[in-house]
Amino acid sequence: MELKDTLNLPKTSFPMKANLAQREPEILEMWEKQDIYKKVLEAGKGKPDFILHDGPPYANGDIHVGHTLNKVLKDIIVKYKSMRGFRAPFVPGWDTHGQPIEHNVIKTLGKKRASITPLELRKLSYDYAMKFFKRQRDEFKRLGVRGDWGNPYLTMDPVYEATNIEIFGSLFEKGMIYKGRKPIHWCYSCETALAEAEIEYHEERSPSIYIKFKIKDDKGKLAVSKDVSFMVWTTTPWTLPANVALAIDPEGQYLLVESKGEHLIILKDLAEEVFSELERPYRKVKEYIGKELEAIVVSHPLFDKNSIVVPADFISHEQGTGVVHIAPGHGQEDYLIGLKYKLPMPMPVDDRGIFTSEAERLEGQSIFEGNKSITEDLKKRKLLLKLSFIEHSYPHCWRCRKPVIFRATEQWFISMDKTSLRAEALKRIKEVDWIPGWSQGRIEAMVSERPDWCISRQRNWGVPLPVFICKDCDESLVSNEIIKAVKDLFEKEGADSWYEKEAKDILPAGTK
């Protein structure tokens, strides 16, 4: 006796075999022909709206399990809300611009990349994005996800490109957009600036060195006749060519010690740990408060120039030596110290992570080759106390997965504080119901700590900023009138027109 007979199930002529591989496509095709999505929306007329905004995936490959989870969960929510008495439209979308797509296109070009014009690269990127938009759309439909698949939103549509310019204009008019030279995350592999949200952290093996900065002029503060050096620890030897200062804790207690005939200065709280790691004895000679050491001049460890000792409030008492090497072009805290004390801001590293002539004998080397060269140079100069290697969490590019660097370049930013954007965002966050509840704290922390948003990228495939650069003086030219002219142009002809036309054909009449 079969189980169906035990349960008194009605007899049926349908075979028990499901044939799902054949039946599912047939069912999906039937739903599409009947336009079930439209019928459900019509049934919801007059009912309260429930809108689920579709955060768009990149059109740069086939869907994976993450896409599947995202779309299926959204589909469950939308269908549930429809059944609960809401009018619940679902408009899918795709992010069709930006680094992920351009990156994949460039990989297919190989040596041809050097001869491709920006406009040709944009055409290839457009075709690539269209190909995968259509493929992903079919793959999402195959999952049974219900939506307005015939009218999705694509960020490369002229109307969206024009809207980008319009929003830029609105922010510019409010004084929220500015151009600045400051250290930002820079991917030397993709040769572009990155925003904080485009950074991933992975384990990286880095050199760890303890070095000496010899004191050249103690300003009469040490009252000792011996040669004395500040001890410095760093995991980025390649940033040393850009060094202009040493930072100390003005309230910290520093020791002048004698070790193997050398006189060294180190933060008292770290002396025991550091000398244990260096495997060398030390003897206290004298003790100072950090502010007593300010303005002392030290010799640069690589070049014939000087650095100066300055106070800072970020000195760690947990690791390092309590003396931090400052390169304003290679770190946010360093940059702020540079501004505060009007320090020079050299940038001896180019877009590709290669040392320039500003790095003197290191010119032409990559920063990683520089790590080795610099360490060997320090050893020859008898300034290297120890070299080892550590594994630590380090920022990487979200697209190419390679390490990024902090590099000071001129970029365009949205200010988080000038017009109270941060405060307003934090206020609005409190007005939203967050599920799960702990996610509210996470987004609040993110917004609270967010630096000014870098909105410029060194890419061809995207919406250009409506800014013109003077060929003679290198000054930026941007105004409300220019922004409107660019917006109107993009609305009619799309962002390709920026590359097709001359500046004089885009700028409003009478622009000087």
Side-chain angles (χ1 to χ4, degrees):
M1 182 180 291
E2 294 184 2
L3 179 62
K4 64 179 182 178
D5 296 324
T6 306
L7 298 174
N8 295 318
L9 295 174
K11 291 186 178 181
T12 175
S13 59
F14 289 107
M16 291 300 290
K17 188 177 179 181
N19 291 323
L20 290 179
Q22 291 76 39
R23 296 292 303 277
E24 279 191 7
E26 292 172 2
I27 293 170
L28 293 174
E29 184 180 0
M30 178 185 69
W31 287 351
E32 188 164 0
K33 286 181 178 178
Q34 294 177 348
D35 202 352
I36 295 295
Y37 175 75
K38 184 177 179 182
K39 285 181 168 59
V40 171
L41 278 189
E42 288 174 349
K45 280 185 178 178
K47 296 178 181 178
D49 282 341
F50 174 81
I51 309 296
L52 194 156
H53 294 286
D54 185 32
Y58 279 107
N60 70 327
D62 289 300
I63 66 171
H64 50 65
V65 68
H67 293 108
T68 302
L69 180 64
N70 179 288
K71 281 295 188 291
V72 169
L73 288 177
K74 288 177 179 177
D75 189 52
I76 291 171
I77 293 168
V78 170
K79 287 174 178 173
Y80 169 78
K81 287 294 184 178
S82 293
M83 296 168 70
R84 296 291 292 174
F86 290 86
R87 178 183 173 276
F90 181 68
V91 180
W94 276 267
D95 191 339
T96 49
H97 276 143
Q99 186 183 353
I101 292 169
E102 184 174 332
H103 179 76
N104 282 358
V105 170
I106 288 174
K107 283 197 299 186
T108 67
L109 292 175
K111 294 181 180 179
K112 293 181 181 178
R113 171 67 183 96
S115 61
I116 294 289
T117 67
L119 199 55
E120 289 170 332
L121 183 57
R122 285 180 64 86
K123 177 64 169 65
L124 291 171
S125 298
Y126 175 89
D127 293 343
Y128 183 94
M130 284 299 295
K131 170 187 173 182
F132 282 104
F133 144 62
K134 292 175 181 177
R135 186 183 294 185
Q136 287 187 8
R137 178 174 61 182
D138 291 342
E139 290 167 343
F140 287 138
K141 289 166 71 174
R142 181 65 182 82
L143 292 174
V145 177
R146 193 171 70 202
D148 193 0
W149 298 110
N151 298 287
Y153 71 89
L154 304 178
T155 58
M156 62 186 179
D157 285 348
V159 63
Y160 276 90
E161 293 176 331
T163 300
N164 280 348
I165 302 301
E166 186 176 21
I167 296 300
F168 179 95
S170 175
L171 297 173
F172 177 79
E173 193 171 13
K174 294 175 182 176
M176 298 171 67
I177 290 180
Y178 69 94
K179 183 181 182 181
R181 186 176 186 272
K182 59 198 304 189
I184 42 83
H185 288 296
W186 182 271
C187 178
Y188 55 84
S189 177
C190 300
E191 295 184 41
T192 186
L194 298 175
E196 195 76 24
E198 296 169 312
I199 296 299
E200 298 177 343
Y201 284 85
H202 303 290
E203 287 298 303
E204 185 75 15
R205 185 173 184 262
S206 297
S208 168
I209 63 172
Y210 289 93
I211 63 173
K212 298 183 290 184
F213 275 72
K214 288 191 173 184
I215 294 177
K216 186 173 184 179
D217 182 358
D218 70 358
K219 303 295 183 181
K221 298 186 175 188
L222 297 183
V224 292
S225 58
K226 301 283 186 181
D227 287 341
V228 181
S229 299
F230 282 94
M231 295 179 68
V232 170
W233 173 72
T234 182
T235 58
T236 54
W238 65 268
T239 63
L240 285 171
N243 173 270
V244 296
L246 299 181
I248 57 170
D249 179 353
E251 302 304 323
Q253 291 179 296
Y254 286 82
L255 295 181
L256 170 63
V257 304
E258 185 274 327
S259 175
K260 290 187 175 181
E262 296 182 302
H263 285 75
L264 307 166
I265 294 178
I266 186 172
L267 187 68
K268 183 177 182 179
D269 290 348
L270 295 166
E272 192 68 35
E273 180 181 344
V274 169
F275 280 100
S276 174
E277 184 178 347
L278 295 178
E279 297 180 334
R280 58 191 291 172
Y282 73 97
R283 175 181 62 83
K284 173 183 170 181
V285 175
K286 200 168 183 178
E287 190 168 326
Y288 302 90
I289 300 300
K291 56 190 173 186
E292 297 179 277
L293 306 175
E294 293 175 23
I296 286 177
V297 177
V298 297
S299 297
H300 194 284
L302 298 174
F303 308 136
D304 185 19
K305 58 182 183 179
N306 300 329
S307 295
I308 189 170
V309 177
V310 297
D313 60 4
F314 54 77
I315 305 301
S316 171
H317 286 234
E318 305 299 323
Q319 63 177 357
T321 65
V323 184
V324 176
H325 118 72
I326 299 296
H330 290 310
Q332 182 63 23
E333 290 174 329
D334 299 46
Y335 170 74
L336 295 175
I337 284 290
L339 288 180
K340 184 175 182 179
Y341 296 105
K342 297 182 173 57
L343 300 174
M345 297 193 182
M347 178 40 59
V349 177
D350 70 11
D351 293 358
R352 300 169 298 137
I354 304 297
F355 282 114
T356 67
S357 59
E358 197 173 1
E360 300 183 14
R361 57 187 174 277
L362 297 169
E363 181 180 3
Q365 295 186 29
S366 73
I367 57 174
F368 297 107
E369 291 171 330
N371 269 341
K372 185 176 181 180
S373 296
I374 289 167
T375 304
E376 290 175 349
D377 200 351
L378 292 169
K379 187 175 181 180
K380 288 178 184 176
R381 292 165 175 259
K382 298 183 178 180
L383 298 176
L384 181 66
L385 292 166
K386 182 176 182 179
L387 164 66
S388 59
F389 292 88
I390 61 170
E391 294 281 342
H392 62 149
S393 181
Y394 190 84
H396 287 64
C397 172
W398 71 312
R399 180 49 44 194
C400 70
R401 300 291 194 272
K402 292 186 178 179
V404 301
I405 60 176
F406 263 105
R407 180 169 174 267
T409 62
E410 284 195 334
Q411 303 290 339
W412 289 85
F413 300 88
I414 295 177
S415 171
M416 292 295 293
D417 298 301
K418 189 172 181 180
T419 56
S420 303
L421 176 60
R422 190 190 311 277
E424 183 65 21
L426 290 170
K427 176 185 174 185
R428 297 288 182 178
I429 286 171
K430 290 179 169 47
E431 298 172 1
V432 174
D433 292 328
W434 296 86
I435 301 172
W438 56 260
S439 59
Q440 179 176 343
R442 184 178 178 184
I443 193 72
E444 281 179 335
M446 186 185 300
V447 173
S448 296
E449 299 166 8
R450 174 75 64 192
D452 288 353
W453 192 275
C454 179
I455 59 172
S456 50
R457 299 289 181 277
Q458 286 60 51
R459 315 307 309 167
N460 290 302
W461 180 234
V463 180
L465 297 178
V467 178
F468 293 79
I469 307 297
C470 175
K471 290 182 179 179
D472 295 328
C473 65
D474 204 37
E475 287 295 315
S476 300
L477 181 64
V478 58
S479 67
N480 293 331
E481 293 75 23
I482 289 174
I483 293 170
K484 184 180 185 306
V486 175
K487 180 254 183 186
D488 292 343
L489 176 65
F490 285 9
E491 204 164 44
K492 294 174 185 175
E493 303 181 29
D496 278 358
S497 57
W498 181 266
Y499 298 87
E500 293 167 339
K501 298 179 181 293
E502 297 290 332
K504 60 183 176 60
D505 300 322
I506 302 175
L507 289 166
T511 302
K512 295 181 180 180

